[in-house]
PDB file of all heavy atoms in Angstrom:
ATOM      1  N   GLN A   1     -19.487  21.188  18.898  1.00 95.00           N
ATOM      2  CA  GLN A   1     -20.434  21.641  17.875  1.00 95.00           C
ATOM      3  C   GLN A   1     -21.697  22.223  18.525  1.00 95.00           C
ATOM      4  O   GLN A   1     -22.241  23.224  18.052  1.00 95.00           O
ATOM      5  CB  GLN A   1     -20.789  20.483  16.946  1.00 95.00           C
ATOM      6  CG  GLN A   1     -19.617  20.009  16.094  1.00 95.00           C
ATOM      7  CD  GLN A   1     -19.917  18.743  15.310  1.00 95.00           C
ATOM      8  OE1 GLN A   1     -20.647  17.860  15.779  1.00 95.00           O
ATOM      9  NE2 GLN A   1     -19.354  18.631  14.112  1.00 95.00           N
ATOM     10  N   LEU A   2     -22.162  21.605  19.615  1.00 95.00           N
ATOM     11  CA  LEU A   2     -23.318  22.145  20.335  1.00 95.00           C
ATOM     12  C   LEU A   2     -22.986  23.490  20.972  1.00 95.00           C
ATOM     13  O   LEU A   2     -23.834  24.393  21.012  1.00 95.00           O
ATOM     14  CB  LEU A   2     -23.785  21.161  21.411  1.00 95.00           C
ATOM     15  CG  LEU A   2     -24.656  19.995  20.962  1.00 95.00           C
ATOM     16  CD1 LEU A   2     -25.037  19.136  22.161  1.00 95.00           C
ATOM     17  CD2 LEU A   2     -25.917  20.482  20.248  1.00 95.00           C
ATOM     18  N   VAL A   3     -21.762  23.632  21.474  1.00 93.00           N
ATOM     19  CA  VAL A   3     -21.347  24.915  22.063  1.00 93.00           C
ATOM     20  C   VAL A   3     -21.386  26.016  21.006  1.00 93.00           C
ATOM     21  O   VAL A   3     -21.892  27.119  21.255  1.00 93.00           O
ATOM     22  CB  VAL A   3     -19.931  24.795  22.678  1.00 93.00           C
ATOM     23  CG1 VAL A   3     -19.385  26.168  23.042  1.00 93.00           C
ATOM     24  CG2 VAL A   3     -19.963  23.901  23.917  1.00 93.00           C
ATOM     25  N   GLU A   4     -20.844  25.742  19.819  1.00 94.00           N
ATOM     26  CA  GLU A   4     -20.861  26.731  18.736  1.00 94.00           C
ATOM     27  C   GLU A   4     -22.294  27.048  18.306  1.00 94.00           C
ATOM     28  O   GLU A   4     -22.623  28.206  18.015  1.00 94.00           O
ATOM     29  CB  GLU A   4     -20.052  26.223  17.539  1.00 94.00           C
ATOM     30  CG  GLU A   4     -18.551  26.153  17.792  1.00 94.00           C
ATOM     31  CD  GLU A   4     -17.794  25.696  16.564  1.00 94.00           C
ATOM     32  OE1 GLU A   4     -18.440  25.403  15.531  1.00 94.00           O
ATOM     33  OE2 GLU A   4     -16.558  25.632  16.620  1.00 94.00           O
ATOM     34  N   PHE A   5     -23.145  26.029  18.268  1.00 95.00           N
ATOM     35  CA  PHE A   5     -24.550  26.247  17.914  1.00 95.00           C
ATOM     36  C   PHE A   5     -25.219  27.147  18.944  1.00 95.00           C
ATOM     37  O   PHE A   5     -25.945  28.088  18.582  1.00 95.00           O
ATOM     38  CB  PHE A   5     -25.270  24.903  17.827  1.00 95.00           C
ATOM     39  CG  PHE A   5     -26.729  25.008  17.482  1.00 95.00           C
ATOM     40  CD1 PHE A   5     -27.135  25.130  16.159  1.00 95.00           C
ATOM     41  CD2 PHE A   5     -27.700  24.993  18.470  1.00 95.00           C
ATOM     42  CE1 PHE A   5     -28.490  25.236  15.823  1.00 95.00           C
ATOM     43  CE2 PHE A   5     -29.049  25.088  18.157  1.00 95.00           C
ATOM     44  CZ  PHE A   5     -29.445  25.209  16.839  1.00 95.00           C
ATOM     45  N   ALA A   6     -24.994  26.879  20.222  1.00 93.00           N
ATOM     46  CA  ALA A   6     -25.591  27.698  21.286  1.00 93.00           C
ATOM     47  C   ALA A   6     -25.108  29.144  21.217  1.00 93.00           C
ATOM     48  O   ALA A   6     -25.867  30.080  21.498  1.00 93.00           O
ATOM     49  CB  ALA A   6     -25.269  27.093  22.650  1.00 93.00           C
ATOM     50  N   ALA A   7     -23.850  29.315  20.822  1.00 91.00           N
ATOM     51  CA  ALA A   7     -23.276  30.662  20.728  1.00 91.00           C
ATOM     52  C   ALA A   7     -23.648  31.368  19.435  1.00 91.00           C
ATOM     53  O   ALA A   7     -23.405  32.565  19.284  1.00 91.00           O
ATOM     54  CB  ALA A   7     -21.756  30.581  20.851  1.00 91.00           C
ATOM     55  N   GLY A   8     -24.228  30.636  18.480  1.00 92.00           N
ATOM     56  CA  GLY A   8     -24.599  31.224  17.204  1.00 92.00           C
ATOM     57  C   GLY A   8     -23.418  31.493  16.291  1.00 92.00           C
ATOM     58  O   GLY A   8     -23.489  32.370  15.430  1.00 92.00           O
ATOM     59  N   THR A   9     -22.340  30.713  16.456  1.00 94.00           N
ATOM     60  CA  THR A   9     -21.129  30.983  15.672  1.00 94.00           C
ATOM     61  C   THR A   9     -20.867  29.943  14.576  1.00 94.00           C
ATOM     62  O   THR A   9     -19.896  30.080  13.837  1.00 94.00           O
ATOM     63  CB  THR A   9     -19.894  31.031  16.596  1.00 94.00           C
ATOM     64  OG1 THR A   9     -19.798  29.796  17.324  1.00 94.00           O
ATOM     65  CG2 THR A   9     -20.013  32.183  17.588  1.00 94.00           C
ATOM     66  N   CYS A  10     -21.692  28.896  14.469  1.00 93.00           N
ATOM     67  CA  CYS A  10     -21.439  27.889  13.432  1.00 93.00           C
ATOM     68  C   CYS A  10     -22.020  28.342  12.091  1.00 93.00           C
ATOM     69  O   CYS A  10     -22.919  29.185  12.043  1.00 93.00           O
ATOM     70  CB  CYS A  10     -21.999  26.527  13.834  1.00 93.00           C
ATOM     71  SG  CYS A  10     -23.730  26.495  14.294  1.00 93.00           S
ATOM     72  N   HIS A  11     -21.500  27.789  11.003  1.00 95.00           N
ATOM     73  CA  HIS A  11     -21.969  28.159   9.674  1.00 95.00           C
ATOM     74  C   HIS A  11     -23.388  27.642   9.457  1.00 95.00           C
ATOM     75  O   HIS A  11     -23.888  26.777  10.190  1.00 95.00           O
ATOM     76  CB  HIS A  11     -21.016  27.671   8.593  1.00 95.00           C
ATOM     77  CG  HIS A  11     -20.764  26.196   8.590  1.00 95.00           C
ATOM     78  ND1 HIS A  11     -21.684  25.279   8.120  1.00 95.00           N
ATOM     79  CD2 HIS A  11     -19.694  25.462   9.005  1.00 95.00           C
ATOM     80  CE1 HIS A  11     -21.206  24.062   8.234  1.00 95.00           C
ATOM     81  NE2 HIS A  11     -19.998  24.131   8.768  1.00 95.00           N
ATOM     82  N   THR A  12     -24.040  28.149   8.428  1.00 96.00           N
ATOM     83  CA  THR A  12     -25.456  27.845   8.199  1.00 96.00           C
ATOM     84  C   THR A  12     -25.697  26.351   8.030  1.00 96.00           C
ATOM     85  O   THR A  12     -26.660  25.793   8.573  1.00 96.00           O
ATOM     86  CB  THR A  12     -25.964  28.603   6.962  1.00 96.00           C
ATOM     87  OG1 THR A  12     -25.846  30.011   7.197  1.00 96.00           O
ATOM     88  CG2 THR A  12     -27.418  28.261   6.672  1.00 96.00           C
ATOM     89  N   GLY A  13     -24.849  25.677   7.261  1.00 96.00           N
ATOM     90  CA  GLY A  13     -25.033  24.247   7.050  1.00 96.00           C
ATOM     91  C   GLY A  13     -25.024  23.473   8.355  1.00 96.00           C
ATOM     92  O   GLY A  13     -25.880  22.610   8.595  1.00 96.00           O
ATOM     93  N   MET A  14     -24.051  23.763   9.217  1.00 97.00           N
ATOM     94  CA  MET A  14     -23.983  23.097  10.511  1.00 97.00           C
ATOM     95  C   MET A  14     -25.197  23.445  11.362  1.00 97.00           C
ATOM     96  O   MET A  14     -25.765  22.588  12.059  1.00 97.00           O
ATOM     97  CB  MET A  14     -22.693  23.494  11.240  1.00 97.00           C
ATOM     98  CG  MET A  14     -22.544  22.875  12.621  1.00 97.00           C
ATOM     99  SD  MET A  14     -22.294  21.084  12.573  1.00 97.00           S
ATOM    100  CE  MET A  14     -20.569  21.039  12.051  1.00 97.00           C
ATOM    101  N   SER A  15     -25.602  24.715  11.319  1.00 97.00           N
ATOM    102  CA  SER A  15     -26.760  25.151  12.096  1.00 97.00           C
ATOM    103  C   SER A  15     -28.025  24.407  11.681  1.00 97.00           C
ATOM    104  O   SER A  15     -28.811  23.958  12.531  1.00 97.00           O
ATOM    105  CB  SER A  15     -26.960  26.661  11.934  1.00 97.00           C
ATOM    106  OG  SER A  15     -28.074  27.109  12.676  1.00 97.00           O
ATOM    107  N   VAL A  16     -28.229  24.248  10.370  1.00 97.00           N
ATOM    108  CA  VAL A  16     -29.402  23.526   9.881  1.00 97.00           C
ATOM    109  C   VAL A  16     -29.338  22.064  10.323  1.00 97.00           C
ATOM    110  O   VAL A  16     -30.332  21.498  10.804  1.00 97.00           O
ATOM    111  CB  VAL A  16     -29.506  23.626   8.345  1.00 97.00           C
ATOM    112  CG1 VAL A  16     -30.595  22.687   7.821  1.00 97.00           C
ATOM    113  CG2 VAL A  16     -29.797  25.061   7.926  1.00 97.00           C
ATOM    114  N   ALA A  17     -28.172  21.443  10.174  1.00 98.00           N
ATOM    115  CA  ALA A  17     -28.027  20.024  10.523  1.00 98.00           C
ATOM    116  C   ALA A  17     -28.295  19.789  12.008  1.00 98.00           C
ATOM    117  O   ALA A  17     -29.005  18.845  12.387  1.00 98.00           O
ATOM    118  CB  ALA A  17     -26.633  19.531  10.144  1.00 98.00           C
ATOM    119  N   ILE A  18     -27.742  20.641  12.867  1.00 97.00           N
ATOM    120  CA  ILE A  18     -27.955  20.469  14.305  1.00 97.00           C
ATOM    121  C   ILE A  18     -29.412  20.759  14.661  1.00 97.00           C
ATOM    122  O   ILE A  18     -30.014  20.048  15.480  1.00 97.00           O
ATOM    123  CB  ILE A  18     -26.997  21.369  15.111  1.00 97.00           C
ATOM    124  CG1 ILE A  18     -25.555  20.877  14.931  1.00 97.00           C
ATOM    125  CG2 ILE A  18     -27.370  21.384  16.589  1.00 97.00           C
ATOM    126  CD1 ILE A  18     -24.514  21.720  15.643  1.00 97.00           C
ATOM    127  N   SER A  19     -30.000  21.772  14.046  1.00 97.00           N
ATOM    128  CA  SER A  19     -31.413  22.076  14.307  1.00 97.00           C
ATOM    129  C   SER A  19     -32.306  20.888  13.963  1.00 97.00           C
ATOM    130  O   SER A  19     -33.235  20.557  14.705  1.00 97.00           O
ATOM    131  CB  SER A  19     -31.849  23.305  13.507  1.00 97.00           C
ATOM    132  OG  SER A  19     -31.177  24.470  13.932  1.00 97.00           O
ATOM    133  N   VAL A  20     -32.031  20.256  12.829  1.00 97.00           N
ATOM    134  CA  VAL A  20     -32.819  19.093  12.427  1.00 97.00           C
ATOM    135  C   VAL A  20     -32.616  17.950  13.418  1.00 97.00           C
ATOM    136  O   VAL A  20     -33.575  17.293  13.841  1.00 97.00           O
ATOM    137  CB  VAL A  20     -32.436  18.659  10.998  1.00 97.00           C
ATOM    138  CG1 VAL A  20     -33.068  17.320  10.656  1.00 97.00           C
ATOM    139  CG2 VAL A  20     -32.880  19.720   9.992  1.00 97.00           C
ATOM    140  N   HIS A  21     -31.380  17.710  13.818  1.00 97.00           N
ATOM    141  CA  HIS A  21     -31.108  16.651  14.801  1.00 97.00           C
ATOM    142  C   HIS A  21     -31.843  16.931  16.120  1.00 97.00           C
ATOM    143  O   HIS A  21     -32.403  15.998  16.729  1.00 97.00           O
ATOM    144  CB  HIS A  21     -29.609  16.551  15.050  1.00 97.00           C
ATOM    145  CG  HIS A  21     -29.240  15.640  16.178  1.00 97.00           C
ATOM    146  ND1 HIS A  21     -29.289  14.270  16.072  1.00 97.00           N
ATOM    147  CD2 HIS A  21     -28.838  15.911  17.455  1.00 97.00           C
ATOM    148  CE1 HIS A  21     -28.922  13.726  17.225  1.00 97.00           C
ATOM    149  NE2 HIS A  21     -28.646  14.696  18.079  1.00 97.00           N
ATOM    150  N   LEU A  22     -31.848  18.169  16.569  1.00 97.00           N
ATOM    151  CA  LEU A  22     -32.507  18.520  17.827  1.00 97.00           C
ATOM    152  C   LEU A  22     -33.997  18.196  17.797  1.00 97.00           C
ATOM    153  O   LEU A  22     -34.592  17.877  18.828  1.00 97.00           O
ATOM    154  CB  LEU A  22     -32.310  20.006  18.133  1.00 97.00           C
ATOM    155  CG  LEU A  22     -30.890  20.433  18.524  1.00 97.00           C
ATOM    156  CD1 LEU A  22     -30.797  21.950  18.573  1.00 97.00           C
ATOM    157  CD2 LEU A  22     -30.492  19.829  19.870  1.00 97.00           C
ATOM    158  N   HIS A  23     -34.591  18.279  16.619  1.00 95.00           N
ATOM    159  CA  HIS A  23     -36.013  17.956  16.473  1.00 95.00           C
ATOM    160  C   HIS A  23     -36.288  16.518  16.922  1.00 95.00           C
ATOM    161  O   HIS A  23     -37.351  16.230  17.490  1.00 95.00           O
ATOM    162  CB  HIS A  23     -36.430  18.152  15.018  1.00 95.00           C
ATOM    163  CG  HIS A  23     -37.833  17.728  14.713  1.00 95.00           C
ATOM    164  ND1 HIS A  23     -38.918  18.534  14.946  1.00 95.00           N
ATOM    165  CD2 HIS A  23     -38.317  16.562  14.187  1.00 95.00           C
ATOM    166  CE1 HIS A  23     -40.028  17.895  14.586  1.00 95.00           C
ATOM    167  NE2 HIS A  23     -39.689  16.702  14.120  1.00 95.00           N
ATOM    168  N   TYR A  24     -35.331  15.628  16.687  1.00 95.00           N
ATOM    169  CA  TYR A  24     -35.511  14.213  16.982  1.00 95.00           C
ATOM    170  C   TYR A  24     -34.935  13.802  18.346  1.00 95.00           C
ATOM    171  O   TYR A  24     -35.275  12.724  18.840  1.00 95.00           O
ATOM    172  CB  TYR A  24     -34.824  13.352  15.914  1.00 95.00           C
ATOM    173  CG  TYR A  24     -35.373  13.501  14.519  1.00 95.00           C
ATOM    174  CD1 TYR A  24     -34.850  14.439  13.638  1.00 95.00           C
ATOM    175  CD2 TYR A  24     -36.399  12.668  14.055  1.00 95.00           C
ATOM    176  CE1 TYR A  24     -35.337  14.564  12.341  1.00 95.00           C
ATOM    177  CE2 TYR A  24     -36.887  12.785  12.761  1.00 95.00           C
ATOM    178  CZ  TYR A  24     -36.356  13.734  11.909  1.00 95.00           C
ATOM    179  OH  TYR A  24     -36.838  13.858  10.629  1.00 95.00           O
ATOM    180  N   CYS A  25     -34.043  14.593  18.911  1.00 96.00           N
ATOM    181  CA  CYS A  25     -33.193  14.125  20.011  1.00 96.00           C
ATOM    182  C   CYS A  25     -33.418  14.892  21.319  1.00 96.00           C
ATOM    183  O   CYS A  25     -32.864  15.991  21.494  1.00 96.00           O
ATOM    184  CB  CYS A  25     -31.724  14.225  19.597  1.00 96.00           C
ATOM    185  SG  CYS A  25     -30.599  13.566  20.847  1.00 96.00           S
ATOM    186  N   PRO A  26     -34.188  14.349  22.262  1.00 95.00           N
ATOM    187  CA  PRO A  26     -34.385  15.019  23.554  1.00 95.00           C
ATOM    188  C   PRO A  26     -33.095  15.134  24.360  1.00 95.00           C
ATOM    189  O   PRO A  26     -32.927  16.076  25.132  1.00 95.00           O
ATOM    190  CB  PRO A  26     -35.415  14.125  24.262  1.00 95.00           C
ATOM    191  CG  PRO A  26     -35.349  12.805  23.574  1.00 95.00           C
ATOM    192  CD  PRO A  26     -34.961  13.090  22.159  1.00 95.00           C
ATOM    193  N   GLN A  27     -32.175  14.188  24.173  1.00 95.00           N
ATOM    194  CA  GLN A  27     -30.915  14.232  24.910  1.00 95.00           C
ATOM    195  C   GLN A  27     -30.114  15.490  24.551  1.00 95.00           C
ATOM    196  O   GLN A  27     -29.609  16.193  25.438  1.00 95.00           O
ATOM    197  CB  GLN A  27     -30.090  12.983  24.599  1.00 95.00           C
ATOM    198  CG  GLN A  27     -28.728  12.946  25.270  1.00 95.00           C
ATOM    199  CD  GLN A  27     -27.952  11.686  24.920  1.00 95.00           C
ATOM    200  OE1 GLN A  27     -28.543  10.650  24.605  1.00 95.00           O
ATOM    201  NE2 GLN A  27     -26.641  11.763  24.965  1.00 95.00           N
ATOM    202  N   CYS A  28     -30.013  15.791  23.259  1.00 96.00           N
ATOM    203  CA  CYS A  28     -29.256  16.975  22.841  1.00 96.00           C
ATOM    204  C   CYS A  28     -30.029  18.261  23.127  1.00 96.00           C
ATOM    205  O   CYS A  28     -29.418  19.304  23.376  1.00 96.00           O
ATOM    206  CB  CYS A  28     -28.889  16.869  21.365  1.00 96.00           C
ATOM    207  SG  CYS A  28     -27.555  15.684  21.036  1.00 96.00           S
ATOM    208  N   ARG A  29     -31.354  18.201  23.105  1.00 96.00           N
ATOM    209  CA  ARG A  29     -32.139  19.387  23.488  1.00 96.00           C
ATOM    210  C   ARG A  29     -31.868  19.742  24.951  1.00 96.00           C
ATOM    211  O   ARG A  29     -31.741  20.914  25.304  1.00 96.00           O
ATOM    212  CB  ARG A  29     -33.625  19.152  23.264  1.00 96.00           C
ATOM    213  CG  ARG A  29     -34.033  19.084  21.805  1.00 96.00           C
ATOM    214  CD  ARG A  29     -35.531  19.321  21.626  1.00 96.00           C
ATOM    215  NE  ARG A  29     -36.348  18.339  22.305  1.00 96.00           N
ATOM    216  CZ  ARG A  29     -36.773  17.197  21.767  1.00 96.00           C
ATOM    217  NH1 ARG A  29     -36.413  16.885  20.521  1.00 96.00           N
ATOM    218  NH2 ARG A  29     -37.533  16.353  22.440  1.00 96.00           N
ATOM    219  N   ALA A  30     -31.772  18.725  25.808  1.00 95.00           N
ATOM    220  CA  ALA A  30     -31.477  18.968  27.223  1.00 95.00           C
ATOM    221  C   ALA A  30     -30.066  19.539  27.390  1.00 95.00           C
ATOM    222  O   ALA A  30     -29.848  20.465  28.184  1.00 95.00           O
ATOM    223  CB  ALA A  30     -31.625  17.677  28.021  1.00 95.00           C
ATOM    224  N   ALA A  31     -29.098  18.989  26.637  1.00 95.00           N
ATOM    225  CA  ALA A  31     -27.721  19.495  26.718  1.00 95.00           C
ATOM    226  C   ALA A  31     -27.646  20.942  26.250  1.00 95.00           C
ATOM    227  O   ALA A  31     -26.950  21.772  26.850  1.00 95.00           O
ATOM    228  CB  ALA A  31     -26.795  18.614  25.868  1.00 95.00           C
ATOM    229  N   LEU A  32     -28.388  21.262  25.183  1.00 94.00           N
ATOM    230  CA  LEU A  32     -28.401  22.632  24.679  1.00 94.00           C
ATOM    231  C   LEU A  32     -29.022  23.579  25.699  1.00 94.00           C
ATOM    232  O   LEU A  32     -28.533  24.695  25.903  1.00 94.00           O
ATOM    233  CB  LEU A  32     -29.178  22.695  23.361  1.00 94.00           C
ATOM    234  CG  LEU A  32     -29.292  24.073  22.713  1.00 94.00           C
ATOM    235  CD1 LEU A  32     -27.921  24.590  22.301  1.00 94.00           C
ATOM    236  CD2 LEU A  32     -30.220  24.025  21.510  1.00 94.00           C
ATOM    237  N   SER A  33     -30.089  23.144  26.361  1.00 93.00           N
ATOM    238  CA  SER A  33     -30.731  23.973  27.383  1.00 93.00           C
ATOM    239  C   SER A  33     -29.758  24.283  28.515  1.00 93.00           C
ATOM    240  O   SER A  33     -29.721  25.412  29.026  1.00 93.00           O
ATOM    241  CB  SER A  33     -31.972  23.253  27.925  1.00 93.00           C
ATOM    242  OG  SER A  33     -32.599  24.022  28.929  1.00 93.00           O
ATOM    243  N   GLU A  34     -28.951  23.297  28.909  1.00 91.00           N
ATOM    244  CA  GLU A  34     -27.940  23.515  29.954  1.00 91.00           C
ATOM    245  C   GLU A  34     -26.908  24.550  29.499  1.00 91.00           C
ATOM    246  O   GLU A  34     -26.512  25.438  30.265  1.00 91.00           O
ATOM    247  CB  GLU A  34     -27.244  22.194  30.287  1.00 91.00           C
ATOM    248  CG  GLU A  34     -28.091  21.217  31.073  1.00 91.00           C
ATOM    249  CD  GLU A  34     -28.279  21.646  32.512  1.00 91.00           C
ATOM    250  OE1 GLU A  34     -27.428  22.393  33.029  1.00 91.00           O
ATOM    251  OE2 GLU A  34     -29.295  21.252  33.125  1.00 91.00           O
TER     252      GLU A  34
END
């Protein structure tokens, strides 16, 4: 799901949900940066 988010290929609902989670989660922000 993070790979699809990074590629910009996930649907809007998933994109919003992951974006909100990233606000709270430094671990996933680091994974996304990688």
Side-chain angles (χ1 to χ4, degrees):
Q1 293 172 325
L2 279 181
V3 169
E4 291 182 358
F5 179 83
T9 57
C10 54
H11 57 75
T12 298
M14 179 68 76
S15 180
V16 171
I18 292 178
S19 295
V20 170
H21 172 75
L22 290 171
H23 174 83
Y24 297 91
C25 184
Q27 178 180 334
C28 286
R29 290 199 299 270
L32 179 64
S33 179
E34 287 287 335

